[in-house]
Amino acid sequence: LERVLMNLICEVEMKKVALSVAALALAAGSALAADLPSRKGPPVLPLPPPPPPMWTGFYVGLNAGGTWANSNNVTTTAIGLPGTDWATFAPLALWGNGQEPALSASGVFGRGNNGGFIGGGQVGYNWQFYNNVVAGIEADIQGIASSSGSGNAFSVAPSGGVLGGLLGLNWNTAAQYRSNLDYIGTVRGRLGWLFTPTLLLYGTGGLAYGGVSVNNSFVTTASNPGGIYRDVASLASSAFSDTRVGWTAGGGLEWMFWPNWSAKVEYLYYDLGNVTTTAFSVAPPSAFGFGTGLNSWAHAIQTTQRFNGNIVRAGVNYHFNWGAPAPVVAKY
């Protein structure tokens, strides 16, 4: 029994020693780990705020380019008018009646192109949203150099009168047409997409206005190839000058090449509508009619010209960014 008790006491003492050694080893390991370099990551900082929209705000700029017209024809319609002489009414008048010289003035004739160099300025405001979408409004006005278009026409109509037909009488009308586009401006909306933060592709459309003027003149005579008969001439003219309002549409590309500075290229189609003028042509009785008024005539001449065309221009803008939100300063 004594031997058994001694063995138990020895086993207990040995376990105490082992536990003490293990505790000492753990304490030494913790102390050593505390002295080793830390593998803890850097502190997590909040992300910097995104940059403010660079396109939002007011801008002003200059532009220059060229313009050319789409419609270069003049449509002329003339109508014979009744007068004080019976020849105007008679279906078998000696020389003809007012409708025949009117026919000599009718037709579609060409004129020169309303085009030339343009230059002016623009002002506008942009809103940038959804990061890549830019909407805005822009107004501009340009002067035009060498924008007049002119043309001459000569037309002939045979006489239907008794003596006129026997003599081979013709009615001849010489016409000169001149039109001018003095200036053109627009007020347009713009909507575009940013392919990069500095490159904007946009479409645009809205109101167009321009100063237009028209001057037409006509000379109508009667003659036959042999020169046996030649009647006096009638003269007529018409004019118009005013501001016309229409519409415009187009598109362009704008590049922010420097802080607050951008350059653009742009195409616009404009249409200011038609301008119609009326002239009245009256010829007095000729000496060949012996003062009877048998060969006098009268007619009204109506001309229509359309003012529409194309604009290609380049420009530069300075952006004030007054309307842009202030940048957010991050706090850490």
Side-chain angles (χ1 to χ4, degrees):
L1 182 60
E2 183 179 359
R3 184 181 295 276
V4 172
L5 290 173
M6 290 297 294
N7 290 335
L8 290 172
I9 292 171
C10 287
E11 290 180 2
V12 170
E13 292 298 329
M14 291 179 65
K15 289 180 178 181
K16 287 182 179 180
V17 172
L19 290 172
S20 298
V21 172
L24 182 61
L26 290 173
S30 299
L32 181 61
D35 294 333
L36 292 175
S38 174
R39 292 188 179 184
K40 185 178 180 181
V44 178
L45 299 177
L47 294 175
M54 69 174 64
W55 291 87
T56 297
F58 289 97
Y59 63 88
V60 296
L62 300 174
N63 69 77
T67 179
W68 68 96
N70 264 30
S71 300
N72 297 314
N73 290 331
V74 180
T75 302
T76 302
T77 304
I79 302 174
L81 300 175
T84 57
D85 59 284
W86 63 270
T88 305
F89 300 95
L92 295 177
L94 293 178
W95 310 111
N97 56 43
Q99 188 58 39
E100 288 152 3
L103 289 175
S104 72
S106 299
V108 178
F109 308 100
R111 61 167 170 79
N113 193 293
N114 282 110
F117 172 82
I118 65 171
Q122 64 271 349
V123 60
Y125 187 88
N126 286 325
W127 295 270
Q128 181 178 347
F129 54 97
Y130 297 129
N131 293 329
N132 297 102
V133 180
V134 176
I137 187 170
E138 182 176 289
D140 61 74
I141 187 168
Q142 290 76 221
I144 306 176
S146 303
S147 66
S148 62
S150 61
N152 298 308
F154 184 81
S155 54
V156 178
S159 172
V162 176
L163 293 181
L166 291 175
L167 295 175
L169 189 66
N170 291 323
W171 299 93
N172 315 297
T173 297
Q176 183 180 65
Y177 307 99
R178 178 175 293 275
S179 62
N180 197 66
L181 182 62
D182 303 311
Y183 63 88
I184 188 167
T186 69
V187 179
R188 297 170 285 107
R190 301 201 316 167
L191 182 62
W193 177 264
L194 290 169
F195 284 93
T196 71
T198 59
L199 187 61
L200 174 68
L201 178 67
Y202 64 89
T204 182
L207 178 143
Y209 61 95
V212 303
S213 59
V214 170
N215 287 279
N216 304 314
S217 59
F218 307 89
V219 178
T220 302
T221 60
S223 64
N224 67 339
I228 299 174
Y229 178 83
R230 187 175 299 275
D231 209 339
V232 295
S234 71
L235 305 176
S237 63
S238 60
F240 175 89
S241 180
D242 202 356
T243 299
R244 301 287 295 177
V245 177
W247 62 274
T248 182
L253 192 68
E254 190 167 0
W255 173 43
M256 191 81 71
F257 65 90
W258 198 260
N260 299 98
W261 287 95
S262 69
K264 70 173 184 176
V265 290
E266 188 174 60
Y267 165 80
L268 294 176
Y269 172 82
Y270 69 88
D271 192 339
L272 302 179
N274 295 327
V275 172
T276 300
T277 61
T278 302
F280 294 96
S281 179
V282 179
S286 69
F288 197 84
F290 305 107
T292 63
L294 297 182
N295 55 331
S296 64
W297 70 84
H299 55 281
I301 308 172
Q302 188 176 76
T303 60
T304 299
Q305 304 181 44
R306 187 175 180 185
F307 286 84
N308 64 335
N310 311 273
I311 295 173
V312 174
R313 62 189 179 186
V316 61
N317 290 322
Y318 179 78
H319 298 255
F320 295 97
N321 301 126
W322 291 339
V328 179
V329 179
K331 298 180 180 179
Y332 303 104

